[in-house]
Structures are given as C-alpha cells and as structure tokens.
Amino acid sequence: MAFSGMIDRVAASLLVGLTCLFGLREWGVAVPASLIQMPALLVVILLGIRVRATRKAFILAGIGLSVWLALAGQDWLGISRNGLEKAAFIAAFFTALSTLRNVAETSPSLRKAGRFLASQPPGRRYGALTVGGHLFALLINYGSISLLGGLASQSAGAEPDPLIRRLRTKRMLLAIQRGFIASLPWSPLAFAMAVTTAVIPGASWATAVLPGLGSAAIILATGWAMDSIFKPRLANPPKRTPVEGSWALLSPLFVLLALLAVTVLGIHFALDIRVVGIVMIVVPVIAIAWALMQHRSLGADADFTIRARRYLDEELPGYRGELVLLMMAGYIGTVGAPLLQPLVSGLGFDTDAVPAWMILALLVWIIPVLGQIGMNPILAVTLIAPLIPDPEALGVAPSALVAAIASGWALSGATSPFTATTLLIGSFGGVSALHVGLRWNGGYFLVTAVLLTVWVLAYGLLL
C-alpha cells in the first residue's frame, strides 16, 4: 500500500473508531475525553495533508485563534479541547451518516424510485421531485441531490428542444434542492438540528421538531407555489411521454424511513438518550444490515468485504475536503466565540438589551447573509450562539431559538455559493453556484425568509 493510501486507511479507521466511541459516550459509557479529542486532532492532521489550500487555510485559522487565546490570557487549552470535542462530534456524525449513503447508492430499488420521480409529467413533476427530494434527504442527506440531480439531468437531457431542456433542468433541480433544504429544520439526521440543539441551552430534538416541521412546510409550499405561479408558458409545449412504474416504487423508501423513525424515536423515549447519540450507533447498524442484504441479493456486485474495504480506502477518505471544512468550522467557532464576545462588547453592542423578537428575526437572516461571504453555517452558528442570551432570559422556549437558527441554516443552503447544495445543483445545471444562489433562488429567498420570520416570531412569542 502506498504511503498516501496508508494515511487514508489510518484516518478512515480513526473516524470509524471515533464514531463508535462518541456513540458509546452518548449511551452512558465512560469514555475518557482524551480518547475523543486526540483522534479528532489526528484525523484533521492526516486528512489535511492532501486537501487544497482553501481547506488548509481553515486549519491555519484554527491554530492562529488558539495562539490568540493564549496571548489574550484565556484558558486556551481548555477552550481548544472543547473545540476538538465539537470537531469530533461533527466527524462522528458525518461518518455515521456516510455509512447509510454508501449502501443507498447501490440500492436498485431507490434508483428506480428516483427515476420514477424524475419522469413525472410537467403538471406534477415539481411536486413529486420536491417531496421526493425531501424524503430522500431524510435518508441519505446530500446523497439525495447527487442521486436525484443526476437522474433529473438525464431525464431533461432527452428533450430535443434546447429551451425546454434548459427550463426543465432548472425547475427539476430547484425542486430537488428545496426539498433537501426543507429537511434541515427538523430531520434528526441533519447537521442543522444536531449542531443547533447542541449549542442552545436546554434544547432537544424532541422539543424542536414541531416548529421545525412548520418551517419545512413553509419552505416546501413556497417553492411549489412560486414554481406554479412563475412557470414559463410555452407556445409549443412538449409532448407528454408515459410514465413507467407506479407510486409503489417508493415503498422501500417509506419502509426504511419508518424503520429509522421507529428505532430512533423508540430508543430516545425509552432510554432518554439524545437523538444524535442514537443516530451514531443505529444508522451504521442499519447500514451494515442493509449491505449484508444487498450482498445476498446482488452477489459479487455488492460483495460486503469489497464494499467495506472500498469504504475505508476510498470513499471515507474521499470526503477529506468536506470533513476538514466541517470539523474546523466547529473548532473555529468554538475557540473564536470567546474572542468575539469582548470585541462585540467593545463596540458597545449589548445583546442582553436586544428584544427577543429582534433576535429571533435576525437569526433567520444573518446565517444566509454570512453564507454569502463564505461562512459555513456550522461556523456561523457556533460563533453566534454564545452571543445569544439564554432562552430563559429572553423569555422564549429553547425550541424557538432552534427554529430560527435552523430556518436560517436552510436558507443558507439555498443561497450561499459556498455550500454543497448550491455547488451540486450548479454542476448538474451547468451554471455557477453563485448563479444558483442569487439568480435562481434570489426571489425565492426573499419570500421564504419573510414567511419564516413571521412563523418563527409567531411560534416564539405567541405559541
């Protein structure tokens, strides 16, 4: 094995071990902090060797902030360790989700379901893809955009008229993207909920899921309404082609979602374990069982041993750029927050004097605005959260703050040219991520942001 391959295998093994250890800690096992923090540091170092300069800049920024903490006379070591804990949590959560994505991508039934959604007639194509994209996102996260985006592009590419092909591609991709971002305010498998509930005192997924579902409904409904209102009127509409298959093709997706929901929620309410901790253990177990089933049904095409080796040697290390970015975003936000607080106070800005309604409204808007200058939502949230007064001091429930932050996170996923969602949609649509965020989603953002602000204020102050 080449040296680079050995580094990748070690980093992948550390990530798997970190996921197991973090999951066991969530389940009440006494795991020493050093067994969490040191592997996280090693993973960043090993993966950072082969990432591009922009990702290395995040590592240097984290080192620089730690040095700044030490020079400022703060407890730089303790804060840095907290930052490594946050980075470890993000890495473990990402690794757990990647196991399910790995198996789902080789599932013939899910691919058939995706192809069925992409082949719907114009009258119900947007609705089918946005709801389907939402359901796929609950299961395979960003993999939903890759799977459905590829099938949508393939379906639209069969249209001979270039104008119709371009319009159809845009509408189909936007349906998929908006279906995906609608999962962020409520899905237990979404980083938005995992990170936000961890940084807001007293917050939990169980209490935040209902307002999150309200935000998701607004995101989905607004996209469908705007697509229906502003859809192009063509002089020569394309001929409709018969749709192969039936809605029964979605049944495997519903079975998997039901299995996840029953298992995760059942354990959560029975044992009072945090949902993120359950996800770290249960999702890989389900993925392994699913992989073994594919091994039996597909044979050599899905050999379990070959799959596991490829996962450790190629797939998991292949996420190095994304992992370094996410882990360092959590670290930088954690170590940067103590440095930001005195700077904000020095400017005469007292967050304790800001009314609750203004804080809730600002949270919906500030995260997507910061996304325009390249600030990852994880970084933005971990930086901003310590500046927010406790929910009790504001007179609102913790779930109201979670709803506001997660709603802003979702909007950032639709507009920021630096997020994976806009980058993926842009690549499938043949346009830049900036074009997707501002041209394709600019009007949608303004309308949805206003509606989400009203909803967050109504929930936080009235409901």
Side-chain angles (χ1 to χ4, degrees):
M1 181 184 293
F3 181 68
S4 60
M6 184 174 64
I7 289 177
D8 287 345
R9 172 64 74 88
V10 172
S13 300
L14 286 171
L15 283 167
V16 172
L18 194 61
T19 305
C20 296
L21 290 172
F22 219 110
L24 290 173
R25 175 194 275 185
E26 290 286 333
W27 286 61
V29 178
V31 178
S34 58
L35 286 182
I36 298 292
Q37 297 161 6
M38 288 306 298
L41 179 60
L42 287 173
V43 165
V44 171
I45 293 172
L46 293 174
L47 294 180
I49 294 173
R50 296 177 59 198
V51 295
R52 60 181 186 266
T54 53
R55 297 295 187 260
K56 286 185 170 68
F58 275 81
I59 299 176
L60 294 175
I63 295 172
L65 287 172
S66 297
V67 173
W68 188 358
L69 279 172
L71 294 176
Q74 299 205 38
D75 180 20
W76 72 271
L77 186 58
I79 296 172
S80 296
R81 285 178 172 172
N82 289 337
L84 287 174
E85 289 270 347
K86 187 72 67 180
F89 163 73
I90 291 169
F93 196 72
F94 182 97
T95 304
L97 297 183
S98 72
T99 60
L100 196 59
R101 189 188 316 175
N102 172 275
V103 186
E105 288 175 348
T106 58
S107 169
S109 57
L110 289 189
R111 185 161 291 275
K112 289 178 183 177
R115 190 174 294 109
F116 172 74
L117 293 172
S119 63
Q120 292 300 302
R124 59 172 181 261
R125 184 184 295 131
Y126 184 95
L129 279 174
T130 200
V131 173
H134 186 72
L135 295 175
F136 271 86
L138 298 177
L139 187 66
I140 55 177
N141 210 272
Y142 288 104
S144 63
I145 298 179
S146 299
L147 174 63
L148 293 178
L151 293 172
S153 298
Q154 181 181 351
S155 173
E159 170 58 48
D161 188 311
L163 174 61
I164 296 176
R165 182 168 63 248
R166 186 170 66 253
L167 293 172
R168 181 180 295 176
T169 299
K170 174 185 173 181
R171 293 177 64 197
M172 293 173 77
L173 291 175
L174 286 179
I176 295 165
Q177 183 188 30
R178 293 166 185 175
F180 169 82
I181 65 170
S183 70
L184 301 182
W186 78 273
S187 170
L189 272 65
F191 269 107
M193 289 299 284
V195 173
T196 306
T197 53
V199 297
I200 298 299
S204 68
W205 179 84
T207 58
V209 63
L210 288 180
L213 284 169
S215 296
I218 290 171
I219 292 168
L220 290 171
T222 305
W224 173 81
M226 292 186 69
D227 178 80
S228 300
I229 294 169
F230 298 108
K231 66 181 179 181
R233 304 293 190 262
L234 299 172
N236 298 307
K239 295 180 179 180
R240 295 192 177 188
T241 57
V243 178
E244 296 182 4
S246 67
W247 293 100
L249 290 171
L250 297 179
S251 56
L253 179 61
F254 287 114
V255 170
L256 284 166
L257 289 174
L259 176 62
L260 268 172
V262 170
T263 306
V264 172
L265 295 180
I267 294 174
H268 172 68
F269 289 114
L271 303 179
D272 196 28
I273 298 172
R274 287 202 311 162
V275 168
V276 291
I278 300 170
V279 166
M280 287 182 192
I281 298 297
V282 168
V283 166
V285 169
I286 291 176
I288 291 171
W290 192 4
L292 290 171
M293 291 172 62
Q294 288 188 15
H295 173 85
R296 295 182 60 184
S297 60
L298 301 178
D301 292 336
D303 182 82
F304 183 81
T305 304
I306 295 175
R307 179 197 294 274
R309 188 180 299 117
R310 188 183 299 122
Y311 176 75
L312 288 174
D313 292 344
E314 300 174 16
E315 182 170 336
L316 198 50
Y319 295 125
R320 63 176 63 85
E322 191 170 358
L323 274 164
V324 169
L325 173 62
L326 295 176
M327 292 177 71
M328 290 311 301
Y331 181 85
I332 291 171
T334 303
V335 300
L339 295 170
L340 183 61
Q341 287 174 314
L343 291 177
V344 172
S345 301
L347 294 173
F349 185 74
D350 183 11
T351 54
D352 292 329
V354 181
W357 70 266
M358 186 175 292
I359 288 179
L360 290 173
L362 283 173
L363 288 173
V364 176
W365 292 82
I366 194 170
I367 298 172
V369 169
L370 292 174
Q372 294 301 309
I373 59 174
M375 190 172 288
N376 182 280
I378 293 177
L379 174 56
V381 171
T382 50
L383 272 175
I384 294 170
L387 301 176
I388 304 172
D390 286 345
E392 185 177 351
L394 286 173
V396 300
S399 56
L401 290 176
V402 174
I405 292 172
S407 296
W409 195 314
L411 290 173
S412 183
T415 57
S416 172
F418 302 97
T419 60
T421 53
T422 52
L423 289 167
L424 284 169
I425 294 298
S427 66
F428 285 120
V431 297
S432 69
L434 184 65
H435 188 92
V436 173
L438 298 184
R439 295 288 296 277
W440 285 8
N441 279 320
Y444 170 77
F445 163 75
L446 292 175
V447 174
T448 311
V450 170
L451 293 176
L452 285 173
T453 302
V454 173
W455 162 242
V456 166
L457 291 176
Y459 174 80
L461 303 180
L462 301 178
L463 301 180

